[in-house]
Amino acid sequence: MFSLHTEALAWLRYARHMPLCATETGYYADVLGLNTSMCIEVEIKKSVSDLRAEFKNKVPKILTYSGGVGRDTPNFFYYLVPWEIAEKSLEIVKEKFPKAGLAAVRYPSLKGWMVGKNITVLKK
């Protein structure tokens, strides 16, 4: 079954070369990747309403992350969405949390060796 979490884990592990990857960790991190020089957090959003709810439910986290990289913040933070909602999601992220990145999964990886290779970064 197609999973945005699986795609994000594989993207961080294999495309971003992060040997330590986990789900549901830390400060409400859906997916977190670490290597010796950086940390990347990925927040999974499956719908536009789910993304909009983020800006109502996690205001303290967004304010903390907007302040820059510190002891408790990742070097990079991305929202990962399905390709079908990428355009609308980009508008919302630019307006509500301009420091966040946005990536989208174009289509599910049906073959194991393709997992994580279908992610396109739309905003760093």
Side-chain angles (χ1 to χ4, degrees), residues 70-87:
R71 187 178 65 90
D72 296 325
T73 60
N75 299 91
F76 297 97
F77 178 86
Y78 289 92
Y79 289 105
L80 179 65
V81 299
W83 189 257
E84 298 76 32
I85 66 167
E87 190 174 319

Side-chain angles (χ1 to χ4, degrees), residues 7 16 62 78 81 84 93 107:
E7 295 287 339
R16 299 303 308 256
I62 292 167
Y78 289 92
V81 299
E84 298 76 32
V93 169
Y107 48 87

Side-chain angles (χ1 to χ4, degrees), residues 33-78:
L34 300 160
N35 65 21
T36 57
S37 62
M38 79 172 74
C39 173
I40 298 176
E41 181 178 338
V42 178
E43 183 70 26
I44 307 291
K45 296 296 163 196
K46 296 178 181 179
S47 67
V48 172
S49 60
D50 188 18
L51 180 62
R52 283 193 174 126
E54 175 83 1
F55 302 107
K56 293 177 185 171
N57 301 333
K58 294 187 181 173
V59 173
K61 179 179 179 177
I62 292 167
L63 290 173
T64 299
Y65 283 20
S66 293
V69 176
R71 187 178 65 90
D72 296 325
T73 60
N75 299 91
F76 297 97
F77 178 86
Y78 289 92

Side-chain angles (χ1 to χ4, degrees), residues 8-39:
L9 282 165
W11 177 61
L12 291 174
R13 175 64 187 96
Y14 301 110
R16 299 303 308 256
H17 308 291
M18 304 208 139
L20 300 173
C21 297
T23 61
E24 305 302 331
T25 85
Y27 189 44
Y28 306 109
D30 283 340
V31 181
L32 195 66
L34 300 160
N35 65 21
T36 57
S37 62
M38 79 172 74
C39 173

